[in-house]
Amino acid sequence: MKVVPSRSSEWVRPVTSQRPASTIIEIDRVSQVFQTSARKDHLALSDISLTIEEGAFVSILGPSGCGKSTLLYIVGGFVSPTTGAAKMKGQAITGPGPDRGPVFQEFALFPWKTVLGNVMYGPRQQGVRANEAEVQSRALIEMVGLKGYENFYPKELSGGMKQRVALARTLAYHPEVLLMDEPFGALDAHTRTRLQNDLLNIWERDRKTVLFVTHSVDEAVFLSDKVVMMSKSPGRIREVIEIDLPRPRRRNELLLDPRYQKCVVDIERMFDESDKVGSPS
Amino acid sequence: MISAAALTRRAAPVLACAALLAVWQIASLALKSDSFPTALEAIRTIPDILGDQESLINILASLRRMAIGFGIAVLVSIPLGLLMGRSRAVAAFFNPLLMVIYPVPKAALMPIIMLWLGVGDITKTLVIFLGVSLPVIYHSFEGAKAVEEKMLWSGAAMGLSPLQRLARIVLPAALPEILTGCRTGLVLALITMITSEMIARQSGAGNILFNALDMGQYDTVYAMIIIVGAMGICLDAAFERIRARLVRWSEPQFDMPLSFS
Ligand SMILES: Nc1ncnc2c1ncn2[C@@H]1O[C@H](COP(=O)(O)OP(=O)(O)O)[C@@H](O)[C@H]1O
Ligand SMILES: [Mg+2]
């Protein structure tokens, strides 16, 4: 995927083959406290440290309320952590930026724009000329499987189609990292598996770094190189698991693969154990 | 081909008007009062009023004040309402102020305004401005508050500054709500326009109406009521067309084809 050079340094940087092990995101002892009432504080994230390598597909997996979204928002720069810091390529994250593209469970499309208008929005904002942005956007719309829907408004689309538009809209401005917060959580099971497959296909083409939040164990295992398991109250990292399943992954093959099944069962067992040992309330 | 349902929908306002005039005609014939002309007599007077140059100038002057008052109110109120909806500090400052102004009939402020600014155009335009502002501010405020935060975050990630987000995300996203406020504001503009001319009797459609009343020209009184009412209906219908066009992208919502004020 083409990267629009926005800083002069990108012109001079030599074209090197991507080193697989270079860190792109670093989360350094991040804690997040929310004031729930005048006197009560809620520790949503406690001392989270995590590094994410360039080109990796990393899932954050945990029960609802364990702070997955909050962690993602901190990386996105939408929320600033109470203590600690998140860094992108060594630079402290102080706010949102086009290098980190979010995809939300709620789609958050611009309802007054057509599909094409939504996808073109980012490139146009970045100063790409209208006709060039349109050509790129049409190609992306085709890539996410929505050819023919360019002039539809979001309200005319199903949930799955909306999320495809949201993905295309984010890919359109070439973020280096995709931040996906339970993107398929609002979809029915069938649509969900189709989008998982399509997301993997798209990802396997250009291996963009993805930080993917989910509470579904098989979704995490199916998609990821690495699964970060979180536990609740306070939100902590329990375990980081490498998923060494071969790529490209095909869902129908993987479901029959004993290694996949073992991964899923192992992770589920770990969550069960922590539930038993966890607070008696 | 026009479906039966569409035909009924289009014919309904016309039928309602016709029914109203019929009831009026019958009631007037039955009562036989000097101060209650029949609908036909009133309608026959309309060309006389509109043919009279002075009356026409008066009515056009009214419309001009209304347009200016409405226009300035919308231009000021939409940004203010949007800012209030997105900034807690701005809302905290203006909310109490508006809460005090809200229940006061704007026409009741006229004597004071007249003392300061006289009985001319400025006073009347200012009263129209006040009448239109509040519903537009309120609806812009509510619309801006309801804008989904993730939509703004998506914009921020694309590199939109806070001001760009207000103009290019909050404004369009809140547009359906804003236009609802503007529609109420338009009707209020007409009401405050007539009221202001009743109080500061110098020119305008309201002035013609009350002069005629003073002189016992009841045909003219009723004809003026029809003219003003027709102006309201036409303005509202025209605005509704524009509104429907601008927010076609938003969810369809139930709406009366015309609002009678
Ligand atoms: N803005 C906020 N104000 C107060 N509490 C919050 C806020 N955002 C999240 N929380 C709380 O922090 C915890 C973690 O939330 P979240 O990150 O949304 O979890 P998850 O995405 O894993 O379900 C929850 O208990 C939630 O109620
Ligand atoms: Mg969440």
Side-chain angles (χ1 to χ4, degrees):
Chain A
M1 198 138 283
K2 207 173 80 183
V3 175
V4 180
S6 55
R7 286 174 292 271
S8 58
S9 63
E10 296 197 35
W11 290 101
V12 272
R13 198 175 59 191
V15 185
T16 51
S17 58
Q18 278 190 350
R19 275 175 297 135
S22 69
T23 297
I24 184 159
I25 288 170
E26 205 181 334
I27 299 166
D28 184 21
R29 284 165 293 164
V30 158
S31 294
Q32 183 69 45
V33 179
F34 286 117
Q35 227 179 14
T36 43
S37 62
R39 220 169 288 174
K40 255 188 137 176
D41 283 348
H42 173 72
L43 186 58
L45 289 175
S46 168
D47 202 34
I48 305 276
S49 291
L50 181 68
T51 57
I52 291 163
E53 271 119 46
E54 200 163 345
F57 198 122
V58 178
S59 284
I60 301 175
L61 177 67
S64 172
C66 71
K68 307 180 294 293
S69 297
T70 306
L71 187 59
L72 199 82
Y73 298 163
I74 288 171
V75 175
F78 309 118
V79 168
S80 41
T82 313
T83 59
K87 284 182 199 161
M88 166 94 187
K89 292 188 156 174
Q91 297 271 318
I93 291 169
T94 54
D99 51 347
R100 287 150 289 137
V103 177
F104 300 109
Q105 182 176 1
E106 305 89 335
F107 321 127
L109 296 174
F110 303 136
W112 63 93
K113 291 266 178 201
T114 60
V115 168
L116 183 63
N118 267 280
V119 178
M120 281 176 66
Y121 207 97
R124 291 292 289 138
Q125 177 64 26
Q126 313 278 285
V128 177
R129 284 219 319 278
N131 47 2
E132 197 180 325
E134 186 177 332
V135 171
Q136 289 178 10
S137 298
R138 284 184 185 278
L140 270 170
I141 292 167
E142 187 171 356
M143 185 168 93
V144 297
L146 286 181
K147 194 172 168 55
Y149 290 96
E150 288 83 355
N151 296 321
F152 281 55
Y153 283 97
K155 72 159 183 187
E156 301 169 303
L157 304 177
S158 68
M161 292 159 91
K162 284 183 194 166
Q163 199 55 290
R164 288 171 188 273
V165 178
L167 179 62
R169 179 180 69 171
T170 300
L171 291 173
Y173 54 90
H174 310 296
E176 290 174 62
V177 182
L178 273 181
L179 304 173
M180 308 185 83
D181 188 10
E182 304 201 34
F184 310 141
L187 308 177
D188 64 81
H190 176 69
T191 312
R192 192 185 171 106
T193 39
R194 282 187 50 190
L195 263 86
Q196 286 169 356
N197 277 322
D198 290 355
L199 174 65
L200 259 200
N201 285 335
I202 290 168
W203 180 79
E204 275 163 1
R205 282 185 220 174
D206 62 346
R207 302 258 169 165
K208 217 178 258 300
T209 312
V210 179
L211 192 54
F212 188 99
V213 163
T214 178
H215 61 248
S216 154
V217 177
D218 32 66
E219 185 171 66
V221 174
F222 174 53
L223 296 172
S224 318
D225 297 320
K226 201 153 104 172
V227 175
V228 179
M229 284 174 64
M230 288 184 66
S231 59
K232 203 175 160 174
S233 316
R236 278 213 173 90
I237 294 181
R238 275 199 76 224
E239 204 112 29
V240 180
I241 300 152
E242 304 277 343
I243 310 288
D244 280 329
L245 298 168
R247 291 186 190 270
R249 295 180 188 166
R250 296 281 163 263
R251 191 178 171 80
N252 46 3
E253 293 164 16
L254 216 59
L255 286 177
L256 298 171
D257 190 327
R259 288 171 298 179
Y260 168 82
Q261 293 159 355
K262 186 174 182 310
C263 268
V264 172
V265 172
D266 282 351
I267 292 175
E268 278 176 353
R269 193 171 293 148
M270 278 188 245
F271 274 121
D272 283 348
E273 276 163 21
S274 71
D275 283 352
K276 272 178 223 138
V277 183
S279 56
S281 65
Chain B
M1 217 188 86
I2 303 170
S3 72
L7 204 65
T8 316
R9 204 170 53 229
R10 273 193 214 172
V14 178
L15 287 176
C17 285
L20 197 68
L21 291 174
V23 170
W24 173 1
Q25 184 76 14
I26 294 163
S28 166
L29 287 173
L31 288 171
K32 289 197 180 69
S33 160
D34 269 356
S35 55
F36 190 23
T38 65
L40 278 178
E41 283 165 342
I43 290 170
R44 248 183 260 135
T45 318
I46 294 176
D48 296 343
I49 299 173
L50 295 181
D52 178 49
Q53 203 186 354
E54 205 193 313
S55 304
L56 208 58
I57 289 173
N58 268 294
I59 293 171
L60 288 179
S62 292
L63 283 175
R64 201 189 45 160
R65 280 193 293 273
M66 182 180 154
I68 294 173
F70 178 80
I72 298 176
V74 162
L75 285 181
V76 173
S77 306
I78 294 176
L80 177 61
L82 294 183
L83 271 174
M84 283 171 62
R86 294 316 312 177
S87 154
R88 226 167 260 183
V90 177
F93 181 80
F94 283 101
N95 251 337
L97 206 67
L98 295 174
M99 243 146 62
V100 173
I101 302 173
Y102 177 64
V104 178
K106 304 311 160 277
L109 299 173
M110 265 203 79
I112 311 170
I113 303 173
M114 274 159 67
L115 277 179
W116 289 87
L117 301 172
V119 292
D121 274 3
I122 298 179
T123 299
K124 290 171 195 158
T125 311
L126 184 61
V127 176
I128 295 170
F129 168 86
L130 290 173
V132 176
S133 292
L134 285 161
V136 180
I137 292 176
Y138 175 75
H139 282 275
S140 305
F141 172 58
E142 290 295 325
K145 256 200 316 196
V147 174
E148 209 187 327
E149 188 159 47
K150 305 281 157 62
M151 211 144 83
L152 294 166
W153 286 3
S154 299
M158 292 173 188
L160 273 83
S161 69
L163 210 63
Q164 283 178 319
R165 269 175 271 160
L166 197 71
R168 293 181 45 198
I169 295 180
V170 179
L171 176 66
L175 197 64
E177 184 74 33
I178 293 172
L179 291 181
T180 303
C182 289
R183 195 175 169 190
T184 311
L186 191 64
V187 171
L188 279 172
L190 189 73
I191 294 172
T192 40
M193 173 192 96
I194 297 291
T195 320
S196 70
E197 290 161 358
M198 283 161 47
I199 300 170
R201 299 256 302 261
Q202 188 201 34
S203 76
N207 186 42
I208 301 177
L209 205 161
F210 278 79
N211 274 346
L213 189 68
D214 287 349
M215 291 188 277
Q217 299 166 339
Y218 298 112
D219 291 358
T220 309
V221 172
Y222 280 86
M224 273 313 290
I225 292 174
I226 295 177
I227 291 173
V228 171
M231 266 164 30
I233 292 172
C234 291
L235 280 171
D236 186 61
F239 187 84
E240 174 53 22
R241 287 200 109 161
I242 298 171
R243 193 198 66 84
R245 214 159 222 277
L246 286 173
V247 300
R248 225 175 345 189
W249 51 267
S250 76
E251 308 305 327
Q253 58 190 76
F254 176 77
D255 223 328
M256 290 291 286
L258 289 169
S259 76
F260 298 89
S261 41

